Structures are given as C-alpha cells and as structure tokens.
Amino acid sequence: MSVQDILSQGLVFPIPIRQCGVGHLICNSCCIRLNKCPLCPRSAFERCFGMERVVESIEVPCCFAENGCTQKIAYFNKKKHEKACRHGPCFCPEPGCGFSGPAATLPDHFTDCHKWPNTAFKYYTQFGLRLQPGPHVLRAQDGTVFLMNVVAAEPLGHAISLVCVRPA
C-alpha cells in the first residue's frame, strides 16, 4: 500500500518508515514480513527519516469535528486524540434507549425523552438542588454533563451516585 493510499483512507502510516534503494516507501511491519520490495527486486531497506518528518508534520481534523471538536491533530496522534475526545459519542444509560450523540446533546435528550430534571450550575458556586429519588441531570458551565441518581437506602436514608457522562 502506498503512502498516498494510506493517507487518502485515513489510515495511520506508522513510524519508522523504511525505503528500498530506489526510494519506494514501506512501513516497518510490512518490511519485516517481506523479503523484498513489493515494487522492485531490491531487498535492502533503510530508515527514511525525511518521510518520517513529513508524516509527523501532517495535521488532520478530528473525526468528531461535526460534533464540535475544532482541534487539528498531528497525523500520528489522530487515533489517540479521538479515543479521548470529549466530542465523541456518548450513550444514554437508560436501559433500552439506543440514543448516542455528543455530550452537549445529552441534557436535552435526558429532559425531553426521559423527563429527567435538569439543573445548570457553576463550579465552586453554591446552588440549590432538591434531592428526589431517580435520576437528575447536572450541567456545568463548561458543557460537562453529570448524571446523579438518588435511591432510597432504608434504614440509612438515601444513596447518591454521581457520574460524569463522557465518551468512551
């Protein structure tokens, strides 16, 4: 597979990159498996530091750009970024609900579809919250979504769980 094929398909061309004496490029894992260049009869490969610098300098958009991510990521860090990107899909925790979408859409989904109460708050600022059994959505000013669930725990009172809803 050529470098152009790899880049056009959004695949990661891993470093180190090797080249035969004619200059044909090949990734290290393919180089180890092959006895010769797939494009010519050469069998010796050397590291191609120039192409490695080119690949390292390529920036690509996050695949979650349509969900609000504006970051340009170094090509070789794309998968790592997208695995942790806060604009990736979140899934509704309600059993039987198949909703998935960016975290920013969850408060409306929880409120509209499940009728869960929804409270906006600011970090480090006191706010009132009526504790009633069931789920409650908390929206921070930075867009972070928390889901609080209150259940009766007789004879002790109530148990409260609080989770940050994030992709992955």
Side-chain angles (χ1 to χ4, degrees), residues 120-128 138-142 144 146:
F121 73 96
K122 291 183 178 182
Y123 294 116
Y124 311 109
T125 302
Q126 284 188 347
F127 64 99
L138 301 173
R139 292 177 292 114
Q141 81 272 12
D142 66 356
T144 303
F146 296 92

Side-chain angles (χ1 to χ4, degrees), residues 3-111:
V3 174
Q4 292 81 9
D5 292 337
I6 289 169
L7 292 175
S8 68
Q9 293 179 23
L11 302 173
V12 174
F13 197 70
I15 293 173
I17 297 172
R18 307 275 180 192
Q19 72 177 6
C20 73
V22 177
H24 297 130
L25 300 171
I26 188 168
C27 73
N28 195 54
S29 61
C30 289
C31 184
I32 291 168
R33 291 184 281 135
L34 299 173
N35 294 329
K36 68 173 203 67
C37 176
L39 301 173
C40 73
R42 306 283 175 134
S43 60
F45 293 93
E46 299 211 9
R47 195 149 172 200
C48 185
F49 293 103
M51 185 52 73
E52 289 178 10
R53 298 299 88 75
V54 169
V55 168
E56 288 173 343
S57 70
I58 296 171
E59 288 188 335
V60 294
C62 174
C63 72
F64 303 121
E66 62 189 30
N67 292 347
C69 184
T70 58
Q71 288 194 19
K72 299 286 186 200
I73 307 114
Y75 166 75
F76 62 93
N77 281 333
K78 182 173 171 54
K79 290 207 184 292
K80 180 180 177 185
H81 165 82
E82 289 172 353
K83 190 173 184 180
C85 181
R86 64 183 295 224
H87 297 281
C90 291
F91 302 92
C92 180
E94 180 70 15
C97 180
F99 176 84
S100 76
T105 63
L106 284 177
D108 290 338
H109 167 75
F110 293 151
T111 303

